[in-house]
Amino acid sequence: MIQSETNHDALAAMDGEIRLEFSDGRSPPKDFDSVNEALAKYGARIWPLDLKAAPEPIRALLDRVTLTTDESARVRGHFLLSRERLLQLIGEAGRKPQVPGGGELSTLDADQ
């Protein structure tokens, strides 16, 4: 289970479905769009990723519990998103680049 940065919501993948749970007991959203609506206030969203469309060698690696460094790099490289797609997803999540054109795309974990 992945905790949100506020610890109020938890996103859980169960039996191929996505479910968002609230720690205050609110009813969970029932569909994909409702989950994204609930996550929007955090500037986050989810989207489907068709793992079956990956080539057979990548799908075989996805079925394994552990990967070597090289295998892990191959999987990441296959699913790596272009800069344009990343900026599109950032915009769809309700965020705006602070620098024209997106600036440097990196993440910062303030808790680390």
Side-chain angles (χ1 to χ4, degrees):
M1 195 173 283
I2 301 171
Q3 296 290 327
S4 72
E5 57 190 82
T6 62
N7 290 328
H8 293 296
D9 307 324
L11 187 63
M14 313 267 308
D15 299 326
E17 297 178 12
I18 298 291
R19 185 177 70 217
L20 185 66
E21 297 175 343
F22 300 96
S23 62
D24 63 5
R26 287 180 280 164
S27 297
K30 300 290 185 194
D31 59 36
F32 186 83
D33 291 332
S34 298
V35 170
N36 275 335
E37 186 178 314
L39 291 173
K41 65 182 171 182
Y42 303 108
R45 60 178 284 120
I46 59 171
W47 65 92
L49 180 60
D50 183 7
L51 299 177
K52 293 178 184 176
E56 175 55 36
I58 298 296
R59 286 196 320 269
L61 292 174
L62 293 172
D63 286 337
R64 295 179 53 193
V65 175
T66 59
L67 299 175
T68 66
T69 301
D70 180 58
E71 291 167 337
S72 181
R74 287 178 33 215
V75 171
R76 280 192 317 271
H78 175 75
F79 291 105
L80 186 65
L81 299 175
S82 69
R83 178 183 183 82
E84 292 77 21
R85 179 70 174 132
L86 284 172
L87 288 172
Q88 177 187 9
L89 291 170
I90 290 167
E92 289 174 6
R95 296 180 181 216
K96 297 179 184 174
Q98 298 299 306
V99 176
E104 180 181 356
L105 295 178
S106 62
T107 59
L108 170 67
D109 186 348
D111 293 335
Q112 297 291 324

